[in-house]
Amino acid sequence: MTKAVDLQALAARIAGGLTGPGGPFEITVEPVLGATIPVFRNRRRSLLELLEDSRALGDRDYLVTADSRLTYAQHYEAAGALAAALAERYGVGKGDRVGILAANTPEWVLTFWAAQRLGAIPVGYNAWWAPQEIAYGIGHTEPKVVIADAKRAALLADSGAQVPVLTMENDLPALTAEFAGQYPTAEVAEEDPACILYTSGTTGRPKGVVHSQRNMVAVSDYHRFTDALAAGFRGLPWDGSPTDRRYLNTSPLFHIASLHNLVIPRLTTGDAVIFHSGGFDAEKILGLIESERITNWAAVPTMASRLLDVDVAQYDLSSLSALSLNTAPSSPALHQRLRERVPVAQVALTTSYGCTESGTAATVATPPDLIANPETVGRPIVGVAIEIRDAEGKVVPDGTEGEICVRSPYVMLGYYNDPAATAASIDENRWLRTGDFGFVSEGRLQMAGRRSDLILRGGENVYPAEIENALDEHPLVRESAVLGVPHEDLGQEVAAIIVVADPDSVTEDELRDHVAQRLAYFKVPARWLITADALPRNATGKVLRRELSLGE
């Protein structure tokens, strides 16, 4: 505990030097959309400024796939040419939406940056959507043009959407060649929309989350700040020079984990992004880490868990210096299994909490945080304020559960064309109501669950996450999901779906006893489904609870 406290004090001292008067990340307060919030004083004002600065990175790798490598210089040229083509051939201008519907490819990223040149708003549609969902997204944001890979272009045709479609495989190479050497620009303000991404849609229709130029530039500055903080811990100077890290990208680009927090910040750090293509395969991922000398991987917990199904020791993972678990909850039991099998997890495993609306992680749990409290999701990152509020919106004391509210320069502008939903989520002082529940203790946030997941059993509030964490400690359990099912007397009772390799290897009684040894009686599931079938998840790794069923 002393060591953790000392490290926290050191972090605070280093951060103070970086963010204090005259520091490279000096923080000031300014009015933002009617509220006064902390912002970085010495900041760029638009994503286009990041793109212009990236030209100096020249021949450094930016986007790498199994069969292609795009340098920063090549990317800069192609983004200019595509922007010119979109403007001259398709009439795209400031404020117009440019749809992107594709798997992770360099062309996805290229389209994003081409739109920034025009002051247009790239819309990242979910590449897993069915034609009906695609039609909804197209109708909702009304893009001037959609750029898609061949597979999704066919789905677009089936959706009946009436919009020009350009294919990444054929149209983009032709257009970038035809309009080479052009670099159109547009004037944008910090509060102008910069991007629209859709929420996971775990319940109801997905909403279009609008992030501003300010939001997305601030996220990149946050990543630069963490680099400076890490240098300070090592006693080294930091001047913002490019580094030689290699980031593995395994999450979809239509999510903030990959777009806002991986691909875009690299233009300010000069690192390479390595794309994994195709479905997740643990052995292919381990081989890619070895062959490409990956240094950083932000993994969905499910992916990290599946690594443990193979012999990790057969692969050279010595290049991997940072491993984080993001986008979905992860249990302390998984953290411990990773520490036992994956060397980097012993010293550099982190986890975080955030949502699409928050723009980036609201909190991050460092290795010392996880040692002090294995269930924490960490402390607020630079620029973020956290409050826990009750049902009336009043701030509750530390240790008391309530709704997690977040305020920062990273928080979204609002939901696209949905002022009612925006007003329900963001108050007049720019506090975001996340809909998630938790509590703060000793400065660290701990999750309880989502309001929509809450089980009301005989007057007791039961949060699935707590029970799932307990279940995940069982050595045979690969993953679990807990839900409430109707009960005539109690209102709801607790049910659990357990995924194991062999359903005959464990009994309900064994699992019931396992939970009973760890949690109160009313949290022990009364109904069970033991299966070898993986849980249904969305593109960001969150369990689709509306699709869960006990199969009765």
Side-chain angles (χ1 to χ4, degrees), residues 325 329-340 349 351 370 373-377 446 465-466 468-473:
L325 302 179
S330 57
S331 67
L334 172 59
H335 301 169
Q336 186 55 37
R337 288 197 291 268
L338 288 169
R339 292 187 188 103
E340 292 168 357
L349 179 66
T351 188
L370 292 172
N373 180 357
E375 294 193 350
T376 187
V377 289
Q446 187 162 324
E466 183 181 19
E468 290 163 357
N469 283 348
L471 285 165
D472 289 350
E473 292 177 10

Side-chain angles (χ1 to χ4, degrees), residues 28-381:
T28 185
V29 291
E30 293 181 7
V32 176
L33 298 172
T36 301
I37 65 173
V39 295
F40 293 115
R41 181 187 295 277
N42 304 310
R43 64 186 185 276
R44 298 173 178 88
R45 263 51 180 187
S46 72
L47 289 171
L48 183 53
E49 291 185 38
L50 271 62
L51 179 61
E52 292 294 350
D53 290 348
S54 75
R55 192 175 196 177
L57 294 169
D59 292 335
R60 301 178 71 90
D61 282 345
Y62 178 28
L63 307 172
V64 178
T65 70
D67 52 15
S68 70
R69 291 176 186 267
L70 194 68
T71 67
Y72 281 93
Q74 290 169 333
H75 170 263
Y76 181 90
E77 294 295 322
L82 180 56
L86 292 175
E88 296 182 29
R89 188 70 49 86
Y90 297 93
V92 175
K94 183 176 179 180
D96 290 331
R97 275 75 61 209
V98 175
I100 311 175
L101 183 63
N104 286 0
T105 63
E107 289 79 12
W108 202 115
V109 180
L110 179 64
T111 303
F112 174 89
W113 287 110
Q116 296 304 325
R117 279 205 163 279
L118 303 173
I121 308 168
V123 183
Y125 297 120
N126 190 319
W128 293 359
W129 276 351
Q132 184 175 352
E133 294 170 302
I134 294 171
Y136 165 75
I138 298 296
H140 181 233
T141 41
E142 299 179 302
K144 204 74 171 280
V145 63
V146 175
I147 297 178
D149 58 25
K151 178 179 178 180
R152 278 80 185 182
L155 291 177
L156 269 165
D158 293 339
S159 75
Q162 300 298 310
V163 61
V165 178
L166 304 177
T167 61
M168 293 179 170
E169 292 85 349
N170 299 316
D171 294 320
L172 259 59
L175 289 171
T176 53
E178 180 180 351
F179 290 86
Q182 299 187 43
Y183 315 98
T185 60
E187 295 292 328
V188 294
E190 285 192 277
E191 312 310 342
D192 283 349
C195 181
I196 300 173
L197 298 181
Y198 280 85
T199 56
S200 304
T202 51
T203 58
R205 289 254 182 160
K207 295 189 287 288
V209 174
V210 184
H211 289 118
S212 67
Q213 296 285 335
R214 179 193 298 278
N215 295 154
M216 301 184 78
V217 171
V219 172
S220 287
D221 282 338
Y222 156 63
H223 284 273
R224 294 173 65 242
F225 169 81
T226 61
D227 287 352
L229 188 65
F233 263 107
R234 297 191 299 270
L236 299 174
W238 180 86
D239 61 4
S241 297
T243 63
D244 293 312
R245 291 169 299 190
R246 301 180 70 76
Y247 284 75
L248 176 59
N249 183 28
T250 52
S251 295
L253 283 164
F254 52 82
H255 186 259
I256 63 169
S258 284
L259 184 62
H260 296 43
N261 291 278
L262 197 161
V263 168
I264 293 174
R266 302 292 68 81
L267 269 72
T268 67
T269 63
D271 303 307
V273 178
I274 317 300
F275 286 110
H276 164 69
S277 60
F280 183 85
D281 182 297
E283 292 186 340
K284 286 183 179 179
I285 289 294
L286 290 166
L288 191 59
I289 293 173
E290 180 179 271
S291 63
E292 284 288 348
R293 307 303 295 160
I294 299 296
T295 59
N296 296 65
W297 183 28
V300 172
T302 305
M303 295 178 179
S305 177
R306 290 176 185 171
L307 290 187
L308 305 180
D309 291 337
V310 303
D311 185 1
V312 178
Q314 290 185 1
Y315 298 87
D316 178 7
L317 307 182
S318 59
S319 63
L320 197 60
S321 59
L323 174 64
S324 62
L325 302 179
N326 307 302
T327 77
S330 57
S331 67
L334 172 59
H335 301 169
Q336 186 55 37
R337 288 197 291 268
L338 288 169
R339 292 187 188 103
E340 292 168 357
R341 300 275 302 280
V342 182
V344 67
Q346 298 171 17
V347 295
L349 179 66
T350 64
T351 188
S352 62
Y353 163 72
C355 55
T356 306
E357 290 86 344
S358 67
T360 185
T363 64
V364 171
T366 63
D369 287 326
L370 292 172
I371 291 172
N373 180 357
E375 294 193 350
T376 187
V377 289
R379 304 172 188 272
I381 69 168

